[in-house]
Amino acid sequence: SCVSGGHTQDDVDELRRQHQQQQQRGASDPAVAAADESAGKLCAQDYQEKLAVFFPSSGSSTTPAHPSMDFVWRDYCPRVFRRLRAAAGIDEADYMLSLAGAQALRQLNSPGKSGSMFLLSEDERFLVKTMRKSEMSVLRGMLEQYSAHMERYPHSLITRFFGLHKVTPAHGRSVSCCAGCPD
């Protein structure tokens, strides 16, 4: 089902309820749950959806502990990107731990022409590029065609995007970024 808008307490409660139901059905593995969710057809709202999750440094029942300050993680078009990650064989938990776990992202020495920073996950599986708001809009604008292309041509040689996010530290400036494959 398509949900649009922000991430509210009702959304969190609904996600917990769905997770409990999946566990009761025997789908306790996150990969199974993600595959179960992404099996349906995407709709227009999936390309507009934004979810926000609070990551306290001490961790919570749904987030890992981490060494940096508290932050809010915004996930743009999460259902679309979950499908793209699943098609590439990327486990949801591994993805989140690579980007937002205890290990920090490493900054690469050569900045992009646009002044963007490039970061590499500690496990070297994901390359992260900081983005301006205008770049995010362009990527979101072409996402429907991009995801259809990647579904149709799974071995395509074009850049693979696995997520579009915004990180807002408790006392700091928001940073928008996209995550892809460094290969």
Side-chain angles (χ1 to χ4, degrees):
S1 68
C2 296
V3 179
S4 63
H7 194 64
T8 65
Q9 185 60 44
D10 289 339
D11 295 333
V12 172
D13 293 341
E14 177 63 17
L15 288 170
R16 285 189 180 134
R17 187 186 63 72
Q18 288 174 3
H19 181 68
Q20 288 171 344
Q21 286 176 343
Q22 287 167 344
Q23 285 183 323
Q24 290 169 354
R25 290 193 326 252
S28 59
D29 179 15
V32 173
D36 195 33
E37 177 190 302
S38 65
K41 190 173 178 147
L42 293 172
C43 59
Q45 288 96 337
D46 291 321
Y47 297 96
Q48 302 302 315
E49 187 177 11
K50 296 179 211 173
L51 296 177
V53 177
F54 178 65
F55 276 73
S57 59
S58 60
S60 71
S61 62
T62 57
T63 62
H66 57 88
S68 56
M69 68 178 76
D70 297 353
F71 64 91
V72 173
W73 173 275
R74 283 185 181 76
D75 204 0
Y76 292 84
C77 313
R79 190 161 180 257
V80 177
F81 284 109
R82 269 195 296 271
R83 286 173 66 116
L84 291 167
R85 289 190 295 269
I90 297 170
D91 177 74
E92 287 301 303
D94 288 345
Y95 178 75
M96 283 305 296
L97 287 173
S98 288
L99 298 184
Q103 298 295 321
L105 298 171
R106 291 189 323 234
Q107 184 173 347
L108 300 178
N109 289 334
S110 88
K113 200 173 193 179
S114 66
S116 296
M117 289 190 329
F118 288 89
L119 307 142
L120 191 61
S121 63
E122 189 64 32
D123 58 11
E124 299 185 353
R125 292 181 64 202
F126 304 104
L127 181 68
V128 175
K129 177 189 181 283
T130 61
M131 303 177 83
R132 292 185 307 250
K133 195 174 190 176
S134 60
E135 292 175 299
M136 284 189 65
S137 294
V138 168
L139 182 55
R140 289 181 69 198
M142 67 179 207
L143 188 56
E144 190 168 355
Q145 293 83 5
Y146 173 82
S147 64
H149 175 85
M150 295 308 285
E151 222 171 271
R152 198 172 304 119
Y153 305 105
H155 301 293
S156 175
L157 297 177
I158 64 174
T159 300
R160 295 186 183 278
F161 295 105
F162 297 127
L164 188 57
H165 313 287
K166 183 185 281 188
V167 179
T168 306
H171 304 288
R173 198 171 144 219
S174 294
V175 177
S176 300
C177 61
C178 67
C181 184
D183 294 336

